Amino acid sequence: MSNNIIDTDSEDEIPPGWEERVTFEGRVFYASHDQHNTQWKHPVTGRKNMSEEVELPYGWERVIQDDGTIVYVDHINKKTCFTDPRLAFAEPLKTSPKDFRQKFDGNSFALQILNGRDLTGKYAIITGASDGIGYETARSLAFHGATIIMACRNTEKAEKCRSNIMKDRPKATIEILHLDLASLRSVKQFAEEYKRRAWPLHMLILNAGVRVVVVSSESHRFPKIHMIEDVTEDSLSLPKDKYRSCISTNLQRNWWLYRVVFFIVRPFTKSKQQGAATTVYCATHSDLEEIGGMYFNNCCPCQPSKESMDEQLAEKLWTVSETILQDRLARLTSI
């Protein structure tokens, strides 16, 4: 069989004499016309594949001709072919939740990752949605049918962003709720208002089941917290001039030197659409439905900093954070 395998840039290429087919249940199998047998494993990669779509796409029909040949009819485009259209949605069958192939990288765009996805009926809260990566995330998800709740401190700015999105997608569903993360009172009011409206929640994307995507930064590799003794209330407030980013957003507005540097390196940085790609990937892709507690960079899982993996530091950070919140909440309720 190895003599029949042709040179190709893709390891998923089917060798001559083989055919890829799909069962009624959406399971992919391979038929060898030379050996007159079938198998579940890909003849080259050895992987087992499964189509995400069990039913034929809308407008398609499976027809058995008089000679027994199976063809697929696209009534919308008035075309007929021998290839099962469900094969376009075939994915490697996972043996574990973390068994997935990297399909995107640092050059990918958020809209590219969402290509073909229908998010109708999905609700997403996005903080910081009026600017930068948050805006591109909201825009991309809205373009694909998700109901967006823009949780923003500046609602006037959020209204302008909503208008911009609606110009391109008049049917987009975008709600705006005031949320000032510097105020626990505002956080409480936001939660109560969301609950009052009885909206479901499928994605929670924190820029400044339910999928919770906390947007981080490679800046976490330059911490000022290295030991348990470093975890104090003062050390938990990162000065604005300490942000490091390789994405062209407005973070650099906080210091004049950063503005100069970003002006020079802007041609070499990611666009906001590219910056939003990893967020959108983590929030929507089916490969990650059973995965949590991982750090992704450029749509790929990678090892975070040593400090972020220190369990003792994490426990101390949690304890100090709880103390701070309890103190703030006590002040809030006493007012």
Side-chain angles (χ1 to χ4, degrees):
M1 183 177 70
S2 59
N3 294 331
N4 292 330
I5 299 179
I6 59 175
D7 291 333
T8 173
D9 291 334
S10 173
E11 62 176 3
D12 293 321
E13 189 77 27
I14 302 297
W18 286 85
E19 183 182 353
E20 194 174 28
R21 298 177 180 175
V22 185
T23 67
F24 283 110
E25 295 78 20
R27 192 172 179 184
V28 179
F29 68 99
Y30 303 89
S32 171
H33 295 290
D34 295 334
Q35 301 178 23
H36 303 288
N37 62 8
T38 60
Q39 62 186 49
W40 296 115
K41 293 183 178 180
H42 190 287
V44 176
T45 66
R47 286 193 297 266
K48 296 180 180 180
N49 293 332
M50 186 77 179
S51 174
E52 293 181 352
E53 300 293 330
V54 176
E55 302 292 335
L56 288 172
Y58 177 76
W60 284 81
E61 181 185 4
R62 181 177 183 269
V63 177
I64 302 178
Q65 297 181 326
D66 294 338
D67 61 357
T69 303
I70 298 175
V71 297
Y72 297 89
V73 181
D74 180 357
H75 292 288
I76 296 177
N77 297 306
K78 303 186 185 306
K79 294 181 179 179
T80 301
C81 64
F82 294 101
T83 303
D84 191 323
R86 292 177 296 171
L87 288 172
F89 303 95
E91 296 283 349
L93 200 62
K94 293 183 180 181
T95 57
S96 71
K98 295 185 179 181
D99 180 20
F100 62 92
R101 299 167 61 194
Q102 183 180 358
K103 302 171 185 175
F104 307 101
D105 56 26
N107 295 316
S108 300
F109 293 87
L111 288 172
Q112 176 186 354
I113 290 172
L114 289 171
N115 184 39
R117 296 295 303 276
D118 182 5
L119 300 177
T120 302
K122 302 293 185 182
Y123 281 67
I125 294 177
I126 306 176
T127 64
S130 61
D131 200 3
I133 293 176
Y135 170 74
E136 287 298 335
T137 300
R139 176 174 171 269
S140 300
L141 295 177
F143 274 24
H144 286 264
T147 297
I148 305 301
I149 292 86
M150 301 178 72
C152 302
R153 178 174 56 85
N154 189 334
T155 55
E156 182 178 347
K157 186 177 181 180
E159 286 285 359
K160 293 179 180 178
C161 291
R162 175 165 64 177
S163 298
N164 290 335
I165 297 174
M166 298 291 286
K167 287 179 183 178
D168 295 326
R169 287 291 187 277
K171 294 184 178 180
T173 305
I174 304 173
E175 302 286 345
I176 297 174
L177 292 182
H178 179 265
L179 174 62
D180 183 357
L181 292 174
S183 167
L184 288 178
R185 183 186 298 277
S186 176
V187 173
K188 182 180 179 181
Q189 290 173 344
F190 174 88
E192 290 175 345
E193 177 62 18
Y194 196 95
K195 185 177 179 181
R196 185 188 69 79
R197 299 196 185 196
W199 287 330
L201 179 59
H202 303 94
M203 291 172 272
L204 173 61
I205 300 175
L206 306 177
N207 280 280
V210 174
R211 288 198 191 187
V212 179
V213 180
V214 180
V215 179
S216 182
S217 167
E218 282 294 278
S219 296
H220 87 282
R221 301 192 187 279
F222 309 97
K224 62 178 181 179
I225 297 176
H226 300 279
M227 299 181 294
I228 293 180
E229 293 75 16
D230 296 332
V231 183
T232 64
E233 182 173 349
D234 291 336
S235 68
L236 297 184
S237 299
L238 184 66
K240 290 184 177 181
D241 62 354
K242 294 296 184 182
Y243 283 114
R244 297 175 175 88
S245 175
C246 291
I247 300 169
S248 179
T249 68
N250 286 333
L251 283 178
Q252 66 270 22
R253 69 179 180 268
N254 297 309
W255 191 24
W256 69 268
L257 181 57
Y258 269 14
R259 290 198 294 271
V260 173
V261 172
F262 266 79
F263 177 78
I264 297 173
V265 303
R266 182 179 292 274
F268 309 101
T269 61
K270 288 184 182 181
S271 68
K272 295 174 185 178
Q273 255 291 311
Q274 290 173 316
T278 300
T279 302
V280 169
Y281 175 67
C282 292
T284 65
H285 207 278
S286 58
D287 281 353
L288 308 181
E289 286 181 352
E290 300 178 36
I291 295 177
M294 296 180 67
Y295 179 72
F296 281 77
N297 184 27
N298 293 329
C299 301
C300 180
C302 60
Q303 191 72 11
S305 67
K306 179 183 67 176
E307 288 81 4
S308 68
M309 300 295 289
D310 189 312
E311 293 186 3
Q312 290 184 325
L313 274 178
E315 185 176 354
K316 179 66 179 298
L317 177 61
W318 184 274
T319 302
V320 173
S321 299
E322 275 191 332
T323 302
I324 295 172
L325 284 174
Q326 288 171 356
D327 178 61
R328 298 295 190 276
L329 287 172
R331 296 181 192 178
L332 182 63
T333 55
S334 63
I335 297 176

